[in-house]
Every structure is written in C-alpha cells, then in structure tokens.
Amino acid sequence: MQKILIVGGGTAGWMTAALFGKLFQGRYDIELIESEAIGTVGVGEATIPPIKTYNELLQLDEAEFMRRTQATFKLGIEFVDWLGAGHHYMHGFGVIGQDWEWLRCHQYWLSAQQRGAARDFAEYSINSAAALASKFVHPRPDMAESPISHITYAFQFDASLYAKYLRSLAEKHGVRRTEGRIVDVGTAESGDIESVTLDDGRAVAADFFIDCSGFRGLLIEQTLKTGYEDWSHWLPCDRAIAVPCARTDPVLPYTRATARDSGWQWRIPLQHRTGNGLVYSSRHIDDHSAEKLLLANLDAEQLANPNRLRFTSGKRRKMWNRNCVALGLAAGFLEPLESTSIHLVQSAAIRLVRLFPNAATDQATIDEFNRKCDFEWERIRDFIVLHYWANRRQGEFWEYCRSMELPATLQRKIDLWRSNGRIFREDDELFTEESWIQVLIGQGIMPRSHDPLTAIKSDAQIDQFLGNIAATIGRCVDVMPAHDDYLRKYCPAVAVA
Ligand SMILES: Cc1cc2nc3c(=O)[nH]c(=O)nc-3n(C[C@H](O)[C@H](O)[C@H](O)COP(=O)(O)OP(=O)(O)OC[C@H]3O[C@@H](n4cnc5c(N)ncnc54)[C@H](O)[C@@H]3O)c2cc1C
C-alpha cells in the first residue's frame, strides 16, 4: 500500500486529509481530488464535544482555530416546542449534579419530582444553567470541587472556513490537492477500484480510496453498488432549506432546535452571522410552504439565497467495501438534530487510522471497521428517533412519529427507563447516560418510579442535597463572564474575505 486517494474536498475530505497528512506524512503518498464546479454541501456548523479531541490530534491552537472559523462556544442544544407551544428544555453537554453514594443524581431528582418538590432539571447541569444565562468560561480542572471544572463544550463554526483551514494544514503535511471533476472510475477484474479519470483525461491511480464525494457516493455506491439501508420510516424528514441571517446579540452559546409543522428549525449562532435551516418531510409540507415557514422565522435580516437539500436518512450497508472507505455524506445521513455528522466523520477517520491495514482488502479488518460503524450509527439513530417519537404536537407528521414502531434497541432502553429511571451507556456508544436522561425527561417520558434505594435517604436529606447542587451551580453561573465578552477577549474573529 503506497498511495491513498481521497475523493472530495468538503468537510469530510479535508478533515480526513488533515488527519492522515499529520499522522502518515512520509509513509504514504496522499492526494485529494475535488471539484470547485461541483462544490460542497455548504452546511454543517454545529458540533459536539469530541471535536476537541480531533482538533487536539491536529494540534490546533483553539483560539486561532476559532478566530479563523468565526466560531462560538457551544454548551448544548435547546429544544423548543417539541411538547407543544411554549415548552422548552436544554440538552446540556457534560455531567448532571453529582452522584451521591452510588446513585446517580437524577434518581434523587425523580424522587423529589414525584413528591412535587423538584426544580427545573436544567438547574442541576452547569452547562445548561450557563447556556440559559448566556455565559461561558473554560473548565477549570484545578477547581476539582467546583462545577466549573465540569464545563464541557463544543463549537459552532463556519464549515467552509473550517475546511479551508484544514486544507492549509493538510497541504503543509504533504497532501497534494488536485482540482478536477471525476468522470470515470476504473476497476480491476477483482472488482477493486484502480483509478479515477478526470474531465481533462488525466487518470489517477491509487491503492486505497476514501470516498468523501458527498451524497452521490461516487465510489462506494455509483461504482461499487454497496447498497443503502433506508431509515426514513423512523426519520421521515427528507429535505432541508438552509439560510444565513445577520447576527443578533447576545450570541448564544448553544444551538436551538425548534419543532415546526412537519419538521424542525435549527438556529446556530456564529460570530459573523446566524445559521438557520428547516428540516422537513416533503410528504407533509411542500417546498414553497417550507421556505415561507423558515423565512418567517428568522430573527434578523436574511443574508443569502436559500440552499435546498434532499436526503434519505440511513447509511451504506458497508462503510468499507473492497479497497474503499466512505466517510461523511457518502457514508450515509443522520439529520443534524444532535449535530452528529461531523463527529461521524471524525470518529470513522480515527477508527480507520487505528485499523489501517497493510493490504487494502484485509477482510477481518474490514469487518471490524464496519461492525463498529454500524453500532455507532444505529445508537445515534436511536437517540434522534427518540426526540421525534416522544413529541406531543398536533398534525399528521407528528402523529405519525408518535405512532411509529421503534427500533428494538431503542424500545429496550425506553422500557428500562420507564420502570425505574435507569439507563446504561452501551459499550462505546456516543451519547452518555446524562444525554439520554436529559432528553427523556425533557421530552416528557417519565419513569413509573425511581430507584427504590433512594429511600435510604430521607426526603429532607434529598431536598438538601439537590438544593445545595442547584445553589452551587447558580453561584458559579453568577460569576461567569458573558459568552459575548469571553469571545471578544479570547478569539475575536478575523474579518471574512
Ligand atoms: C441540512 C444539513 C444540515 C447539516 N448540519 C450539520 C450540523 O449542524 N452539524 C454537523 O456535524 N453536520 C451537519 N451536517 C452534515 C455536514 O454538512 C456534512 O457531514 C459535512 O459537511 C461533510 O460533507 P461531505 O464532505 O461528506 O460532502 P460535501 O460537502 O458534499 O463534499 C463533497 C465533495 O466531493 C466533491 N465531489 C463530488 N463529486 C465529485 C466528482 N465527480 N469529481 C470531483 N469531486 C467531486 C465535491 O466537489 C466536494 O468537494 C448537515 C447536513 C445537512 C444536509
């Protein structure tokens, strides 16, 4: 194995190129082909905390990266109107309160809640409480006793600026970029991919191919006919319209997902603008009405024409087939309700590094890679499906979601939760117990009871324990700086050309 060819220069292509360039420089010859004429999908601005691991692998300076990508900090996602008008809750990253002896904090909260003595669940999460107050500060690991040591964050950034930034790093590490449209893909008798041909007639051969060509899946699907697992019966939204609007102050340190007729709207605040979009089901609302709905719900002046996108939720039957691995939109699509797509690129790219083969078609390695990807995608799918299923909204679309049969893996989790409020993270699934708990409670799925061992503590002890946590978090949030002020000092964005 000598030559690796990355097809596509969107977020997926350049994230992979930057990582591979950094780790494999001098070992492999790495080339990336992209076509300016085709362009990129042009969306994807909200991330989740593991992106910090990826940035650290690349040794990015955080403030510099944030300046160059117009980034803001992200402490979680606010869900608005999923249970009807006026209802909202936060899914904050990170921990909730603290364990007491060996029970999780939420068990005491459930016990208080069933007595009618609980405060809003967000008051027990430093992330949620800070987000709702529009405050931010970096975690302070040296203050181990303080909730501030637990602050967990991600970023909201301009994805095209991020790809540009990563391109400069990848090229610095020896990745060669070739501009051109691929018009043909050559395969060997074995069925493996051998080369691609550009529109000017040049042929580029390689031993290993990484398909980052976006929804079209130029290699993985159009050439290798790998097949697609369609999940649209669980995730019926199949279109999106994205449009930026002017920045509004304060710049919130969180993403907002507001339920709408037949879909939901995202709001992602960056330093120079706000990203907005409507994800919807074309069986339930037509494109024109969807666009009107989105434009009527911008909170400032529209800055560009709407970008219309079509998709089918699901994933390739194999992410790695023969001598080709698909990453990004070429691998499949899970809608951005929990901002997971860029993460799926990152985790698959790191998985590929960990499993990088001597020969491009080592079957045991391929099977392990695909098994891990399937597990990761299915668990994230379940988490997203939960939001839709647990809605309390009117209308055909929302009624369909409420009545759909759930994946068995999700049904099992909900059944366990409903009995005693217990939830367990399975192996290395992405979302933590805290994430599941916040969304289950936030979406109104309450357990019939709580852990019987909470009875070891008296009601007064439980109330005092919970009261102390909420009060400590409240005091921490009071002294934290406003997110806006923090951004201005830490990483004022460079002007966009
Ligand atoms: C509506 C929507 C909202 C999203 N929001 C989020 C979000 O908030 N957070 C998140 O993490 N993710 C989000 N995503 C996903 C995110 O946008 C993608 O995961 C990410 O941009 C990666 O895209 P990509 O690089 O795979 O594909 P693309 O950006 O489509 O790039 C494909 C590349 O392949 C090249 N290419 C294609 N065909 C050829 C050819 N024949 N010859 C040469 N080059 C070719 C193109 O030129 C381009 O460079 C969202 C996606 C959608 C659709």
Side-chain angles (χ1 to χ4, degrees), residues 36-50:
E36 268 169 25
I38 293 175
T40 66
V41 72
V43 282
E45 301 176 328
T47 64
I48 51 176

Side-chain angles (χ1 to χ4, degrees), residues 2-24:
Q2 286 177 352
K3 169 92 185 263
I4 301 171
L5 183 65
I6 300 171
V7 170
T11 310
W14 284 115
M15 280 182 81
T16 310
L19 186 70
F20 276 43
K22 170 101 180 129
L23 300 179
F24 292 160

Side-chain angles (χ1 to χ4, degrees), residues 27 142-143 200 241 306 314 318 380 391 419 441 446 494:
R27 172 68 186 83
D142 56 312
M143 294 167 57
D200 62 5
I241 307 176
K318 296 176 194 162
I380 294 174
N391 83 84
S419 65
I441 291 176
M446 299 307 288
V494 293

Side-chain angles (χ1 to χ4, degrees), residues 8-12 35 38-41 43-44 46 180 182 212-213 216 329 336 341-342:
T11 310
S35 160
I38 293 175
T40 66
V41 72
V43 282
I182 295 168
C212 297
S213 63
R216 51 182 65 72
L329 299 172
S341 288
I342 292 174

Side-chain angles (χ1 to χ4, degrees), residues 388-447:
Y388 279 102
W389 169 76
N391 83 84
R392 290 191 196 153
R393 292 179 62 90
Q394 307 290 319
E396 202 187 313
F397 170 80
W398 293 104
E399 279 154 24
Y400 168 81
C401 295
R402 262 200 306 280
S403 62
M404 66 186 160
E405 193 178 329
L406 296 176
T409 40
L410 173 58
Q411 189 65 58
R412 183 162 47 81
K413 268 203 168 89
I414 292 172
D415 291 346
L416 181 68
W417 166 259
R418 273 194 162 140
S419 65
N420 283 85
R422 293 189 180 113
I423 199 105
F424 297 101
R425 191 178 190 174
E426 289 176 56
D427 298 328
D428 53 356
E429 77 171 298
L430 174 63
F431 286 102
T432 60
E433 291 167 20
E434 284 83 356
S435 289
W436 282 94
I437 290 164
Q438 288 175 86
V439 172
L440 283 159
I441 291 176
Q443 298 275 153
I445 308 298
M446 299 307 288

Side-chain angles (χ1 to χ4, degrees), residues 94 106 117 147 150-152 166 189 202 207 232 243 246 311 317 338 345 399 404 453 472 490:
H106 78 280
H150 297 302
I151 288 172
T152 308
L166 294 180
E189 246 172 52
R202 268 179 301 164
D207 304 301
S232 53
V243 70
F311 51 81
R317 292 201 184 281
E338 286 283 352
V345 174
E399 279 154 24
M404 66 186 160
L453 291 180
T472 309
Y490 181 69

